[in-house]
Amino acid sequence: MRFRLWRKDYHIIHTMSSNAKGKIRDEELQKEEHFLDKTLRPERFSDYIGQENIKDNLKILLSAAKERNHPPEHLLFYGPPGLGKTTLAHLIAKETGSDIKITSGPAILKVGDLASIITNLSPGDILFIDEIHRLNKNIEEVLYPAMESGTLNIILGKGPSARSIQLELPPFTLIAATTRIALISAPLRSRFSGGIFRLEFYTEAEIKKIIERSASILGIQAKAEASTEIAKRSRFTPRTANYLLKRCRDFVQVQKQPLEKSSVIEALQLLGIDEVGLAHSDRKILETLVEKFGGGPVGLNTLATALSEEEATVEEYNEPYLIQIGFLERTPRGRVVTERGYAHLGRKKPGQISF
């Protein structure tokens, strides 16, 4: 009976019209399109561009662990968002042939949540916790013995009848990522015995290579000048570079244009991204400081109020890049626009002598 059913299915598949087969393939491609970020993620360390020092250290750590037939020691990656912390975790899992279980600090609300995740790990598995700085302190304390001695201490019941049980855990590797390492307690940081690595911003040349690789995966015929133009506006961040590449692809697809320098400029102008990667909100900060506060200094609270924006958004999203490229200074008295910031707006700094 099973054989006849299999023969029937086989016959149906092989007698499909070419249009039906094409439709199935299109549906598969559309499904992939929904997860483009995953599609663009490198599959091997050789495909991972940049962060050379971290890659060299990881190769030694993983090779040594493999020779000892032991899971790699616990690792912590930190740095601004979009630089490849999650990608490194996936690459380590592939390199070691391990399964990776993914969660995040905000998702672990109770000790029972963490216990459920850890006790379901198999020997050699990797547990990746993103934004680990948002873990509750009580949960951190349960994590200490799990990382250090491979045991999980759980208290059952309450009051005088409460009792503690200790569970033995299989050997596993915890890989954590954070954008706010200062918020991680010292006891937790000290337990990442494999190493604590800071991811640096990428160079323009590295970003260009990433764009060229992504364009190849997406089947985009991008000219060298187009890749360079996107790289210049990417804030030295791969995630931003891939985002801009995808939006440029959409633009040239609709406009029926090739992906070249002129079409990239036109597409990014439509998005409000200027030649150094500033968005409308970034320029608004500089313009508000210059027009309303004479270039500063001005406090964060006052600036955020003038912009009708939240303080955290200004401080954590806009300011870091403006400071990085030298357009803004953060002084004890407040925020100040630099000469480079004035020049980018096409204005002269008060008191600046023109010749």
mmCIF file of all heavy atoms in Angstrom, residues 12-13 15-27:
data_model
loop_
_atom_site.group_PDB
_atom_site.id
_atom_site.type_symbol
_atom_site.label_atom_id
_atom_site.label_comp_id
_atom_site.label_asym_id
_atom_site.label_seq_id
_atom_site.Cartn_x
_atom_site.Cartn_y
_atom_site.Cartn_z
ATOM 1 N N ILE A 12 2.871 12.019 -9.827
ATOM 2 C CA ILE A 12 2.309 13.383 -9.825
ATOM 3 C C ILE A 12 3.418 14.413 -9.963
ATOM 4 O O ILE A 12 3.332 15.348 -10.752
ATOM 5 C CB ILE A 12 1.499 13.626 -8.531
ATOM 6 C CG1 ILE A 12 0.224 12.792 -8.557
ATOM 7 C CG2 ILE A 12 1.161 15.098 -8.367
ATOM 8 C CD1 ILE A 12 -0.533 12.800 -7.229
ATOM 9 N N ILE A 13 4.504 14.216 -9.191
ATOM 10 C CA ILE A 13 5.602 15.192 -9.205
ATOM 11 C C ILE A 13 6.249 15.253 -10.580
ATOM 12 O O ILE A 13 6.519 16.317 -11.126
ATOM 13 C CB ILE A 13 6.654 14.825 -8.136
ATOM 14 C CG1 ILE A 13 6.043 15.060 -6.748
ATOM 15 C CG2 ILE A 13 7.921 15.639 -8.303
ATOM 16 C CD1 ILE A 13 6.892 14.505 -5.613
ATOM 17 N N THR A 15 5.030 14.419 -13.469
ATOM 18 C CA THR A 15 4.175 14.799 -14.591
ATOM 19 C C THR A 15 3.683 16.239 -14.442
ATOM 20 O O THR A 15 2.828 16.676 -15.195
ATOM 21 C CB THR A 15 2.944 13.866 -14.671
ATOM 22 O OG1 THR A 15 2.265 13.833 -13.413
ATOM 23 C CG2 THR A 15 3.374 12.461 -15.050
ATOM 24 N N MET A 16 4.249 16.960 -13.466
ATOM 25 C CA MET A 16 3.893 18.377 -13.309
ATOM 26 C C MET A 16 4.330 19.147 -14.543
ATOM 27 O O MET A 16 5.352 18.871 -15.164
ATOM 28 C CB MET A 16 4.626 18.975 -12.092
ATOM 29 C CG MET A 16 3.941 18.744 -10.772
ATOM 30 S SD MET A 16 4.897 19.604 -9.486
ATOM 31 C CE MET A 16 3.901 19.205 -8.058
ATOM 32 N N SER A 17 3.585 20.160 -14.854
ATOM 33 C CA SER A 17 3.992 21.046 -15.944
ATOM 34 C C SER A 17 5.180 21.875 -15.477
ATOM 35 O O SER A 17 5.431 22.033 -14.291
ATOM 36 C CB SER A 17 2.834 21.988 -16.306
ATOM 37 O OG SER A 17 2.554 22.868 -15.234
ATOM 38 N N SER A 18 5.915 22.433 -16.426
ATOM 39 C CA SER A 18 7.067 23.272 -16.074
ATOM 40 C C SER A 18 6.619 24.514 -15.320
ATOM 41 O O SER A 18 7.323 25.027 -14.453
ATOM 42 C CB SER A 18 7.824 23.677 -17.347
ATOM 43 O OG SER A 18 6.955 24.368 -18.229
ATOM 44 N N ASN A 19 5.404 25.004 -15.628
ATOM 45 C CA ASN A 19 4.875 26.178 -14.913
ATOM 46 C C ASN A 19 4.664 25.877 -13.431
ATOM 47 O O ASN A 19 4.952 26.685 -12.561
ATOM 48 C CB ASN A 19 3.546 26.622 -15.532
ATOM 49 C CG ASN A 19 3.740 27.254 -16.893
ATOM 50 O OD1 ASN A 19 4.835 27.712 -17.207
ATOM 51 N ND2 ASN A 19 2.691 27.271 -17.695
ATOM 52 N N ALA A 20 4.131 24.653 -13.153
ATOM 53 C CA ALA A 20 3.885 24.279 -11.756
ATOM 54 C C ALA A 20 5.206 24.153 -11.002
ATOM 55 O O ALA A 20 5.328 24.584 -9.857
ATOM 56 C CB ALA A 20 3.110 22.969 -11.693
ATOM 57 N N LYS A 21 6.207 23.527 -11.656
ATOM 58 C CA LYS A 21 7.515 23.411 -11.013
ATOM 59 C C LYS A 21 8.118 24.784 -10.768
ATOM 60 O O LYS A 21 8.713 25.045 -9.723
ATOM 61 C CB LYS A 21 8.451 22.573 -11.892
ATOM 62 C CG LYS A 21 8.081 21.108 -11.965
ATOM 63 C CD LYS A 21 9.040 20.365 -12.864
ATOM 64 C CE LYS A 21 8.656 18.887 -13.002
ATOM 65 N NZ LYS A 21 9.552 18.172 -13.919
ATOM 66 N N GLY A 22 7.955 25.669 -11.751
ATOM 67 C CA GLY A 22 8.473 27.028 -11.594
ATOM 68 C C GLY A 22 7.805 27.758 -10.451
ATOM 69 O O GLY A 22 8.435 28.511 -9.718
ATOM 70 N N LYS A 23 6.484 27.491 -10.291
ATOM 71 C CA LYS A 23 5.741 28.135 -9.207
ATOM 72 C C LYS A 23 6.260 27.684 -7.846
ATOM 73 O O LYS A 23 6.406 28.484 -6.919
ATOM 74 C CB LYS A 23 4.257 27.804 -9.334
ATOM 75 C CG LYS A 23 3.387 28.539 -8.329
ATOM 76 C CD LYS A 23 1.924 28.217 -8.546
ATOM 77 C CE LYS A 23 1.066 28.958 -7.522
ATOM 78 N NZ LYS A 23 -0.374 28.645 -7.695
ATOM 79 N N ILE A 24 6.556 26.366 -7.727
ATOM 80 C CA ILE A 24 7.101 25.860 -6.465
ATOM 81 C C ILE A 24 8.441 26.521 -6.169
ATOM 82 O O ILE A 24 8.718 26.927 -5.040
ATOM 83 C CB ILE A 24 7.257 24.328 -6.527
ATOM 84 C CG1 ILE A 24 5.872 23.661 -6.527
ATOM 85 C CG2 ILE A 24 8.098 23.811 -5.363
ATOM 86 C CD1 ILE A 24 5.913 22.169 -6.740
ATOM 87 N N ARG A 25 9.275 26.629 -7.197
ATOM 88 C CA ARG A 25 10.592 27.259 -7.009
ATOM 89 C C ARG A 25 10.433 28.724 -6.603
ATOM 90 O O ARG A 25 11.141 29.222 -5.732
ATOM 91 C CB ARG A 25 11.416 27.148 -8.309
ATOM 92 C CG ARG A 25 12.797 27.792 -8.222
ATOM 93 C CD ARG A 25 13.626 27.206 -7.114
ATOM 94 N NE ARG A 25 14.900 27.884 -6.981
ATOM 95 C CZ ARG A 25 15.581 27.934 -5.866
ATOM 96 N NH1 ARG A 25 15.118 27.354 -4.776
ATOM 97 N NH2 ARG A 25 16.742 28.557 -5.814
ATOM 98 N N ASP A 26 9.493 29.438 -7.222
ATOM 99 C CA ASP A 26 9.255 30.843 -6.876
ATOM 100 C C ASP A 26 8.824 30.973 -5.428
ATOM 101 O O ASP A 26 9.226 31.906 -4.722
ATOM 102 C CB ASP A 26 8.178 31.446 -7.786
ATOM 103 C CG ASP A 26 8.681 31.648 -9.208
ATOM 104 O OD1 ASP A 26 9.919 31.635 -9.382
ATOM 105 O OD2 ASP A 26 7.848 31.808 -10.122
ATOM 106 N N GLU A 27 7.981 30.034 -4.979
ATOM 107 C CA GLU A 27 7.533 30.078 -3.581
ATOM 108 C C GLU A 27 8.711 29.861 -2.631
ATOM 109 O O GLU A 27 8.794 30.482 -1.575
ATOM 110 C CB GLU A 27 6.456 29.013 -3.347
ATOM 111 C CG GLU A 27 5.122 29.360 -3.994
ATOM 112 C CD GLU A 27 4.122 28.216 -3.884
ATOM 113 O OE1 GLU A 27 4.524 27.134 -3.401
ATOM 114 O OE2 GLU A 27 2.960 28.412 -4.276
#
